Every structure is written in structure tokens, then in C-alpha cells.
Amino acid sequence: MNVKDFDYDLPEELIAQDPLEDRSSSRLMVLDRKTGEVEHKHFTDILEYLHPGDCLVINNTKVIPARLFGVKEETQAKIEVLLLKRKENDVWETLVKPGKKAKPGTKIVFGEGLLTGEVIDVVDEGNRLIQFHYEGIFEEILDQLGQMPLPPYITHQLQDKNRYQTVYAKYDGSAAAPTAGLHFTKELLEKVKQMGVEIAEITLHVGLGTFRPVKVENVLDHHMHSEFYMVSAEAAEKINRAKESGHRVIAVGTTSTRTLEAAADKNGRLREISGWTEIFIYPGYQFKVIDALITNFHLPQSTLVMLVSALAGREHVLNAYKVAVQEKYRFFSFGDAMFIK
């Protein structure tokens, strides 16, 4: 399976740079995964495609303002630090720019000393382990000094941090938003509940590996990044109940999909569980849990295009993307949505 099999042409002007004023006013392409037929709707029309008894699964992770700008204590040279993964005792795995000059022992000052850090080790892929020092509560300092780690294809400054956050975000830990959920407003979710659709909340902390391009020619040689997930007993019960009663499990986003498929046993049943997953879903994969998916339009040659192709078929997906380009849909994190039914 060649990575070029998942390529498509995308004019740069279709990459959405800013979120829409009204979250739920984005467009919605509906793709029938059996026939490949597409319909053009608006996101609020999602209600037409949900049925009482269905279970909608949302990822309640919260993006942390993980991008920090500081200076090296010795030289006052500017340095950028991106928090990737919390280890222990205020040690974080980070991505540092420029990295080569951040050798172990390097001390970095942020916010005129409100936060300081020392590089203590170099780990996989050149990432740095940094030990942070501060007084007070780390999350509050981060909120004060940090910026949202927007994907590399977004060049505009984000005016409101909350727009790169779902309305149901709860648990700090992501370096990127589960963007399919950005389309939901509290009002729309209330309407979903009133229809008799169950909403199950799971957690997967999204890593920056989600944007990492597939650099190998053979897709099967790609190594997936590891991400932490949690499924509560309550969520497992709701999802199992929907499956057992013949209703659909509809994942909001590829992160919810990966969580459910990683957490389920071979019969598609879930229980309370947490752990790390490196699950890689590509065509040929047999889905155990999800029946339908709400998602955004993803980068060419990405693992996310491969995941949606596993669900709806590569040809159907690439044709739908071609139509989306012709119809000038907005792409990627702040872009429009797709419902694969």
C-alpha cells in the first residue's frame, strides 16, 4: 500500500485559517460509505442523520496552551518550547526550537522568571526533557504565558483561545484539538440529547504526531505515535447498550474512533480502561465498534485520510475530497465537516 495512493490536490486557499463566528454554521458533506454518493448540507443538519438510541461518542480532552516563548539564561537568545508529554515531578517531554543549542544543562527563562526550565536529557527524535521550576500552580502560569499550539498550516494568529477548544473540553492534556468536535455548540448537543441520542464521553489526549506526515513509501512501514486514552465505566455501558440493541455508535472525530477501536475487545465490547495506544487504522481494517463517523477534511497522504478510507473505501473518500475541492469546502482544523454514514 503506497502512501501516494492517499494523495489529492488541494489549493492552498481552501485551508481554513480562522474559525467561523458560529461554530455550527460550517458546511457538512454527507458521504454514503456503501454507494459513495455525497450530499451537501450544513452542520446543523446533522440532526437529520441521528436516530433515537444511537450513541454519539465525543472526546472531552482539553488543549493546553503548550507553546512557550523564552530566552536562554546565559545568552538571552530566543527559544521556543512546545510541551508534548508530562512525565513526572514537573518534567515534560518537549520540542525545542532551535533544538541543537538546547543541550542538557541549558537553562531557559519564561515570562521574566515567572517560569524557568532546565534541559535534563535528549530523547527520541531529538525531543528534550525539561525540568520546570515555578511558584504557584503550573496550569495557571501556562494559561498566562502559553499560546495554543496551532497546526503548522494555520498561519493566522488565533484571537480567542477557546475557539481551538470544543465546548465540552474537560481534561487537560492535548497538544492539538479533536477538531471534528469544534462544530458542536452547547445548544446543538442539547438538541441531540432531546432526540433520545445517548452521548458518551471518552478521553484521548491528542499528540502532535497527528500532524506528522507519513514519510515512508510503504504505508505499513509507518510507525504511529503513542497517545493516552481513558474510557469510563459509564461511557462503556452506553456504547455497549447501543450496540446490543442494534443502534449505531457514531464517533465524533478520528480521535474518538482510535480510542474506541483500541479499547474494545475482539467482540467490540468495552469496559472501563485507560492506557496508551499506537493503533494505526488503514484500508483492510475491520471496525469492531464504530458504525458512522463525523470528521473534518484531512491532509493529503496523512494517517487520518487512511483511517477514513478504511471506513468508507479509498475511492469513495478521494472522490468525495475531489468534490469538496470543486465545491470550495474549507479544509483541515477550522474547516468544514463530513459525515460518513
Side-chain angles (χ1 to χ4, degrees), residues 98-140:
K100 284 179 184 167
K101 295 183 178 174
K103 294 182 167 63
T106 302
K107 290 181 177 166
I108 308 165
V109 179
F110 306 93
E112 297 178 345
L114 196 60
L115 179 68
T116 60
E118 181 179 347
V119 178
I120 57 173
D121 201 2
V122 180
V123 291
D124 295 347
E125 296 175 7
N127 293 346
R128 265 61 178 169
L129 290 187
I130 295 182
Q131 169 86 59
F132 287 100
H133 302 281
Y134 54 90
E135 286 184 14
I137 298 168
F138 185 75
E139 284 72 19
E140 287 180 3

Side-chain angles (χ1 to χ4, degrees), residues 209-315:
T210 193
F211 302 119
R212 191 181 296 151
V214 177
K215 290 179 177 170
V216 290
E217 198 171 305
N218 183 350
V219 168
L220 307 187
D221 293 336
H222 178 69
H223 178 65
M224 281 295 278
H225 54 289
S226 178
E227 293 171 322
F228 181 76
Y229 71 88
M230 294 183 291
V231 177
S232 66
E234 182 191 1
E237 189 185 329
K238 286 179 177 179
I239 294 159
N240 290 339
R241 190 163 60 231
K243 295 295 282 182
E244 285 159 11
S245 56
H247 293 105
R248 296 174 303 166
V249 173
I250 300 161
V252 177
T254 55
T255 63
S256 296
T257 302
R258 292 180 70 234
T259 304
L260 295 178
E261 295 297 321
D265 67 19
K266 64 179 191 296
N267 300 314
R269 280 191 65 79
L270 288 149
R271 59 187 169 85
E272 183 174 5
I273 187 172
S274 65
W276 294 84
T277 179
E278 295 179 356
I279 190 169
F280 184 12
I281 297 174
Y282 51 82
Y285 179 83
Q286 297 298 311
F287 287 88
K288 297 175 290 193
V289 185
I290 77 156
D291 302 294
L293 171 65
I294 296 169
T295 188
N296 278 21
F297 292 90
H298 304 292
L299 278 76
Q301 298 189 22
S302 65
T303 59
L304 304 181
V305 166
M306 294 168 195
L307 185 152
V308 294
S309 296
L311 184 65
R314 186 181 70 89
E315 288 178 7

Side-chain angles (χ1 to χ4, degrees), residues 28-99:
L28 177 70
M29 176 184 280
V30 180
L31 170 62
D32 186 318
R33 63 190 177 110
K34 293 189 176 72
T35 66
E37 285 177 29
V38 299
E39 300 171 82
H40 304 290
K41 299 283 186 174
H42 285 94
F43 194 76
T44 46
D45 297 325
I46 194 70
L47 299 173
E48 295 175 23
Y49 299 92
L50 304 177
H51 312 308
D54 285 345
C55 184
L56 190 72
V57 183
I58 59 178
N59 180 7
N60 62 15
T61 188
K62 195 172 188 180
V63 186
I64 57 173
R67 181 166 270 138
L68 289 162
F69 296 92
V71 294
K72 287 169 74 173
E73 189 177 69
E74 283 181 23
T75 63
Q76 295 299 296
K78 289 183 179 175
I79 200 157
E80 181 185 333
V81 172
L82 191 61
L83 304 179
L84 297 177
K85 209 178 279 181
R86 189 196 286 266
K87 297 296 190 178
E88 67 285 309
N89 303 329
D90 291 313
V91 173
W92 283 76
E93 184 175 335
T94 68
L95 191 63
V96 177
K97 288 184 194 172

